[in-house]
């Protein structure tokens, strides 16, 4: 059995920077640390409202990273043009609404087949591997295959809503079935959203899952495990 890979989403490093409009913390520095920690890929979501990651972050990551860069974005002509300029290894097309706190649901690939097919074709012609972020439903997987996507990312939000992983068994079974269906359709199957230290293992154990994309919980944990050192360094300056 091949082991699942970890894509680390560093959007919320940029969130912390943007709340003060300063130069730190730098997503690039966080990405390098994530690479050192074993990240197999780095993911960023360049949102239309640029609330966290900025275009310059994507360019810097693209120029510097050793692992593949996965760019999440809306399937708009403006974003497709940016992706074709930046040439990340992977693009994951996601639905986007300005008011949402985070990506709330999967793309309705079945309802938007012609527009998505055109965007996917343009990106693929640019040498980019394209994934669609969809709910774990057969109709969405079948539409994704018809559209010509290389991969899907299964939305794990419903699974992650359960705080007790054993209570999430039904959702987990649905994700396993969706993974098998996606693989049978010839798609690479990734998954993500809301994954934490207490609910990721069961998902990683699903046969055929390629990459798990995880952001918020890792950035939150990094703050806690790094706090003692950060205070020690400032304490030394204050007391010097
Ligand atoms: N995958 C996709 C497509 C997303 O939109 C997000 C959130 O930006 C994630 C994974 C990561 O979710 P989380 O930050 O909850 O780990």
């Amino acid at each position: 059995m091949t082991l699942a890979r970890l894509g680390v989403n560093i959007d919320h490093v940029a969130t912390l920077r943007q709340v003060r409009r300063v130069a730190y913390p730098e997503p690039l520095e966080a990405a390098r640390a994530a690479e050192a920690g074993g990240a197999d890929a780095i993911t960023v979501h360049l949102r239309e409202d640029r609330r966290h990651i900025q275009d310059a972050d994507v360019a810097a990551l693209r120029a510097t990273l050793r692992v593949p860069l996965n760019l999440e974005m809306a399937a708009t002509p403006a974003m497709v043009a940016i992706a074709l300029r930046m040439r990340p290894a992977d693009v994951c097309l996601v639905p986007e609404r300005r008011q949402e706190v985070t990506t709330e649901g999967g793309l309705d690939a079945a309802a938007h087949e012609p527009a998505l097919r055109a965007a996917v074709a343009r990106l693929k012609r640019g040498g980019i591997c394209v994934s669609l972020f969809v709910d774990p439903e057969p109709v969405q997987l079948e539409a994704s295959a018809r559209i010509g996507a290389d991969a899907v990312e299964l939305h794990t939000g419903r699974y992650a809503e359960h705080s007790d992983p054993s209570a999430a068994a039904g959702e987990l079974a649905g994700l396993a079935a969706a993974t098998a269906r996606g693989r049978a359709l010839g798609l690479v199957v990734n998954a993500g959203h809301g994954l934490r230290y207490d609910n990721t293992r069961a998902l990683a154990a699903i046969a055929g899952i390629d990459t798990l994309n995880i952001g918020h919980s890792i950035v939150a944990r990094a703050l806690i495990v790094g706090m003692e050192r950060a205070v020690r360094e400032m304490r030394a300056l204050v007391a010097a």
Side-chain angles (χ1 to χ4, degrees), residues 7 9 11-12 43-45 47 52 70 72 92-95 102-104 133 153-156 191-196 212-218:
N9 179 315
D11 289 350
H12 295 305
T43 296
V44 291
H45 185 173
R47 294 188 74 101
H52 39 53
N70 173 33
E72 284 178 20
C92 179
L93 296 175
V94 300
T102 181
T103 317
E104 284 168 359
F133 186 50
E153 179 170 332
L154 302 177
H155 195 313
T156 52
H193 211 283
L195 297 178
R196 306 180 304 265
L212 298 180
N213 285 311
I214 308 180
H216 189 265
S217 65
I218 293 177

Side-chain angles (χ1 to χ4, degrees), residues 109-110 113 137-148 152 181-182 185 187:
E113 268 193 57
E137 291 160 9
V139 66
Q140 299 300 341
L141 299 167
E142 282 147 21
S144 300
R146 281 196 304 274
I147 284 166
V152 286
R181 183 76 189 115
L185 288 162
L187 296 160

